[in-house]
Amino acid sequence: MRKVYHRIIQIAGNVITVEADNVAYNDLAEVTTSRGTSLAQVIRLADGKVSLQVFAGSRGISTGDEVRFLGQPMKVSSSEDLLGRIFTGAGKPRDMRAPIEDKLIEIGGPSVNPAKRIIPRKMIRTGIPMIDLFNTLVESQKLPIFSSAGEPYNELLARIAMQAEVDVIILGGMGMKYDDYLFFRNTLDEHGALSRSVMFIHTASDPIVECLLVPDMCLAVAEAYALENKRVLVLLTDMTNFADAMKEIAITMEQIPSNRGYPGDLYSQLASRYEKAVDFDGAGSITVLAVTTMPGDDVTHPIPDNTGYITEGQFYLSKGRIEPFGSLSRLKQQVNGRTRADHRTIMDTMIRFYADYKETLEKQSMGFQMSSWDSKLLKFGSRFEKEMMDLSVNIQLEEALDLGWKILADCFDSTETGIKTELIEKFWPGNK
């Protein structure tokens, strides 16, 4: 039987403190007031004092109110019935349907033992050329989408959710505007992707502690599905809101701040989530794709800076498209040598010409005379941006490769490309 405590010794923001024993970190408690009962979570243990973050906020709580510890951390269901459902950050139904309380598992567990992992070797097709062709997404990869404010990162995630060739999509929203939540819900529903998806959504008006629970909820469910031989893709937006929630609680707890006010364990907190990406030996996989908005478009900001040390590259979203020079998938070479013989050649050749195109634009802007070669580069760059980089383009990898050959053939002679003769003879338009 759990003890009930009737004396709250401190209330600071949404954090309350009681003197208690036999309590574990992350345990849940019920706080009963004259307004009703709210859940709280243990976030600090020090010298017999237990600090709890109250989910519903501390408004209406008095020092004489009742605190009862439940003796267990937050749990979430791993049932197949989760598919097609939408929940809050605390795991409560947001879709007005009945709660699911079978097959409960704890959230926030450790990452997978390396001995149970296998080397990433399978491509995840998305139908987006700038991903499939130039920065291939690989099963069990952990990748952030670095973006400045105002970029269509939620639209990009929705595209990936609808088109990615995986078994289960788990979408976690943190600090999300209600309009963005409705956009995800309606878009996935209209395109039939909601039936294979689970959504955990924390909106900006929800309790701040629920924001911290969203990644753990998503990753715990993802791991359960992956152990059932499912290919799971976890989409998170926005990890900057997650870090800001950590910062807010750390300030309330009067912790000594680190860089720009963020807590000193920012790196560890981010890494513990990203490192859940795994390809199980003999089971399924978890792939993590997470949006990180960069305040002031500053890639040296603590959140993207720490993230870059953890993840295997990044997608850099700028001016409404995935920029080839800011983006990198470090695992793409694990898979793009086995897709089609011309994959790496087309990827390298088109990026090389696009780099030359950017230099030609600079020459043009400074009033230099354009040569015939510059004219070819300008034609190529314009078509590349319109037919490859535009996020509205939706074609499979093989079509993208064929389109790449067509663009090259329309802009250059085969002898100007530097491509090996055997590939020219096999793939150059007109030679097939």
Side-chain angles (χ1 to χ4, degrees), residues 21 125 164 218 238 264 277 288 319 361 427:
D21 52 15
R125 292 172 176 260
C218 293
D238 167 5
V288 178
K319 299 177 181 176
L361 282 181
F427 293 105

Side-chain angles (χ1 to χ4, degrees), residues 165-192:
E165 294 185 2
V166 294
D167 299 317
V168 177
I169 296 288
I170 299 181
L171 176 66
M174 292 160 278
M176 188 176 284
K177 292 189 296 185
Y178 201 78
D179 287 350
D180 290 333
Y181 155 59
L182 293 178
F183 164 75
F184 275 112
R185 186 194 69 182
N186 296 338
T187 302
L188 268 58
D189 191 24
E190 289 171 7
H191 292 83

Side-chain angles (χ1 to χ4, degrees), residues 63-84:
T63 55
D65 284 334
E66 183 179 287
V67 178
R68 183 171 70 92
F69 291 94
L70 303 183
Q72 64 181 24
M74 178 68 75
K75 294 185 177 182
V76 64
S77 173
S78 61
S79 168
E80 287 283 343
D81 295 334
L82 286 180
L83 294 177

Side-chain angles (χ1 to χ4, degrees), residues 149-335:
E151 295 293 338
Y153 50 85
N154 284 334
E155 288 81 355
L156 176 60
L157 280 191
R159 279 272 313 275
I160 294 171
M162 291 184 292
Q163 299 173 188
E165 294 185 2
V166 294
D167 299 317
V168 177
I169 296 288
I170 299 181
L171 176 66
M174 292 160 278
M176 188 176 284
K177 292 189 296 185
Y178 201 78
D179 287 350
D180 290 333
Y181 155 59
L182 293 178
F183 164 75
F184 275 112
R185 186 194 69 182
N186 296 338
T187 302
L188 268 58
D189 191 24
E190 289 171 7
H191 292 83
L194 189 59
S195 60
R196 63 165 185 164
S197 303
V198 185
M199 297 171 62
F200 292 93
I201 302 296
H202 167 266
T203 65
S205 61
D206 292 334
I208 193 72
V209 68
E210 293 185 11
C211 183
L212 299 180
L213 296 175
V214 168
D216 293 334
M217 288 277 186
C218 293
L219 293 164
V221 174
E223 187 170 317
Y225 280 141
L227 289 171
E228 296 176 0
N229 210 30
K230 304 283 189 183
R231 302 170 70 196
V232 185
L233 178 59
V234 178
L235 304 175
L236 301 174
T237 177
D238 167 5
M239 291 303 285
T240 298
N241 290 334
F242 170 80
D244 286 343
M246 284 181 52
K247 178 180 179 179
E248 183 173 332
I249 291 176
I251 291 172
T252 302
M253 299 298 297
E254 299 181 353
Q255 294 180 8
I256 298 174
S258 183
N259 193 2
R260 302 199 196 182
Y262 288 92
D265 65 343
L266 175 63
Y267 178 91
S268 299
Q269 293 284 357
L270 293 173
S272 66
R273 275 79 183 180
Y274 280 110
E275 291 297 339
K276 292 293 186 73
V278 59
D279 196 347
F280 284 103
D281 185 9
S285 64
I286 303 172
T287 308
V288 178
L289 198 56
V291 170
T292 298
T293 52
M294 300 181 294
D297 203 20
D298 179 13
V299 76
T300 66
H301 186 277
I303 303 169
D305 186 40
N306 279 279
T307 301
Y309 287 103
I310 300 165
T311 54
E312 296 145 346
Q314 68 280 326
F315 294 147
Y316 187 72
L317 191 61
S318 177
K319 299 177 181 176
R321 57 198 182 200
I322 298 174
E323 286 290 335
F325 303 128
S327 302
L328 171 65
S329 169
R330 293 196 179 97
L331 298 186
K332 63 185 177 184
Q333 294 184 355
Q334 301 284 91
V335 297

